[in-house]
Amino acid sequence: MLVLGIETTCDETAAAVVERQRDSSGRILSNIVRSQTSEHARFGGVVPEIAARAHVDLLDGIVGQAMKDANVGFAQLSAVAAAAGPGLIGGVIVGLTTAKAIAMVHDTPLIAVNHLEAHALTPRLTCALAFPYCLFLASGGHTQIVAVVGVGKYVRLGTTVDDAMGEAFDKVAKMLSLPYPGGPEVERAAGSGDAKRFAFPRPMLGRPDANFSLSGLKTAVRNEANRLTPLEPQDVSDLCASFQAAVLESTADRLSVGLRLFHEQFGPPRALVAAGGVAANHAIRGALQDVASKAQTTLIIPPPALCTDNGAMIAWAGAERMALGLTDTMDAPPRARWLLDANATAPAGFANTRAGF
Ligand code: KG4
Ligand code: ZN
């Protein structure tokens, strides 16, 4: 089975061709990702209108390149999959409409993929992981702990009540005048900082649910930065190190609760899987390793290019759905918001304006 996958929900324009074999293993034939970071950098964050226009400009060429690299013709495709949400609606419309056009012209099945489902199923592409497993997804738009029970069967165990984790890293970077995207900059600065200099709050520590909160911590960093202004380079490093230490401690606590909830409902998880840009952070990886070891499970982090947004994960999720006969019709809607777990309700204090909770 050959599936073309298209991803345009945020600021990556991406397309890939993935093959799913009879034994249900997967192989990536091509995977083209064009990040728009440079277009958005001077605004300190993703500008939805600029993203949508860039997707329009770039997508045709990127789909063509993905098909060429895979050495596959449109007539050979078993399905065309696009991320139909959650995400920035202008970009989602561009990707989904392109997929519909290809599907219609070549009389190929369409699969409207939930972007979060694609992150959730990636370890089945990279290491044929069996269900059930626990996913920790932390990116610029999402912070969730999800029980991945089967294709289309997801139970959200925890989510953020305010900012996403990557968003908090980006905002802290911005207030300290570090470039965008802020996560890697904060991590770098933290490397030469004193994590004990500022006693920032450890959000949600000890709570019985597995939810996250990051906006109070972010405000605490802002208050301290304002108090110290003008900031010396050492102040910036110490603020970053102290912020990162608070995120680590909170994340470890929230995940250990999440894994406990998982165990109660689904038995032992086959693995703890981390995905999203924040999973690139080495200190966070270390904390995840500790949490997984304590819970007697394995930590799996897909390679960085498959942790962040890409077309291969959309193609693979499309292939997994196709194998179960789950195709979509031409009126499949683009969705700014699209819960992975239809039964999940917003936790108390829910204030996030970004998609996908
Ligand atoms: O998954 P991703 O590439 O895109 C989406 O947001 O969908 O994640 C990007 C986010 C940004 O907020 C970025 O600052 C954060 O991941 N990030 C990091 C690190 N690298 C990227 N956060 C903390 N430490 C890092 N090393
Ligand atoms: Zn993503």
Side-chain angles (χ1 to χ4, degrees), residues 5-319:
I6 294 175
E7 160 60 36
T8 54
T9 61
C10 193
D11 62 340
E12 269 91 25
T13 314
V17 178
V18 165
E19 184 180 31
R20 186 181 192 274
Q21 272 108 9
R22 269 181 223 291
D23 64 359
S24 75
S25 64
R27 196 159 67 93
I28 298 173
L29 302 188
S30 64
N31 192 21
I32 313 285
V33 181
R34 163 68 159 78
S35 169
Q36 302 170 8
T37 304
S38 56
E39 280 92 329
H40 300 282
R42 69 193 168 100
F43 302 101
V46 179
V47 183
E49 184 63 22
I50 293 177
R53 283 166 190 265
H55 290 308
V56 171
D57 288 344
L58 295 164
L59 187 56
D60 280 357
I62 285 178
V63 167
Q65 190 65 49
M67 296 296 289
K68 191 163 168 249
D69 283 10
N71 200 18
V72 165
F74 285 109
Q76 291 167 264
L77 292 175
S78 319
V80 183
L88 301 172
I89 195 67
V92 174
I93 290 171
V94 175
L96 183 58
T97 308
T98 302
K100 285 179 179 177
I102 296 170
M104 198 176 275
V105 169
H106 298 282
D107 199 17
T108 304
L110 170 76
I111 301 173
V113 168
N114 181 314
H115 175 95
L116 301 174
E117 173 169 48
H119 277 300
L121 296 176
T122 298
R124 292 172 51 77
L125 166 64
T126 55
C127 57
L129 184 60
F131 298 119
Y133 53 90
C134 187
L135 171 75
F136 172 53
L137 174 62
S139 68
H142 312 286
T143 303
Q144 303 197 354
I145 304 174
V146 179
V148 183
V149 185
V151 175
K153 296 191 186 108
Y154 310 99
V155 178
R156 196 184 69 194
L157 301 170
T159 187
T160 178
V161 299
D162 40 54
D163 291 349
M165 197 172 281
E167 189 183 2
F169 270 89
D170 293 337
K171 286 180 177 169
V172 164
K174 199 171 182 181
M175 68 180 83
L176 301 177
S177 302
L178 297 171
Y180 174 83
E185 301 291 333
V186 170
E187 182 180 8
R188 196 170 309 129
S192 53
D194 174 4
K196 294 206 170 71
R197 178 163 163 205
F198 305 103
F200 290 137
R202 272 49 179 161
M204 314 293 259
L205 210 69
R207 287 205 10 172
D209 61 59
N211 291 327
F212 294 78
S213 169
L214 289 135
S215 85
L217 171 59
K218 175 194 69 190
T219 305
V221 178
R222 174 172 288 128
N223 290 343
E224 203 59 48
N226 288 344
R227 197 179 63 78
L228 290 172
T229 299
L231 295 172
E232 299 294 329
Q234 193 57 52
D235 295 330
V236 171
S237 295
D238 294 346
L239 285 164
C240 288
S242 302
F243 163 75
Q244 191 171 273
V247 173
L248 283 188
E249 205 174 313
S250 174
T251 300
D253 177 66
R254 308 291 65 221
L255 270 172
S256 61
V257 174
L259 284 168
R260 197 182 323 133
L261 295 176
F262 185 107
H263 205 287
E264 283 166 18
Q265 293 178 50
F266 308 104
R270 301 276 181 134
L272 170 64
V273 176
V278 180
N281 183 298
H282 294 88
I284 289 180
R285 283 170 175 244
L288 297 183
Q289 186 59 66
D290 289 349
V291 171
S293 305
K294 278 194 194 123
Q296 295 177 327
T297 193
T298 315
L299 176 67
I300 294 178
I301 306 182
L306 296 175
C307 259
T308 56
D309 292 350
N310 64 87
M313 71 177 189
I314 306 297
W316 175 251

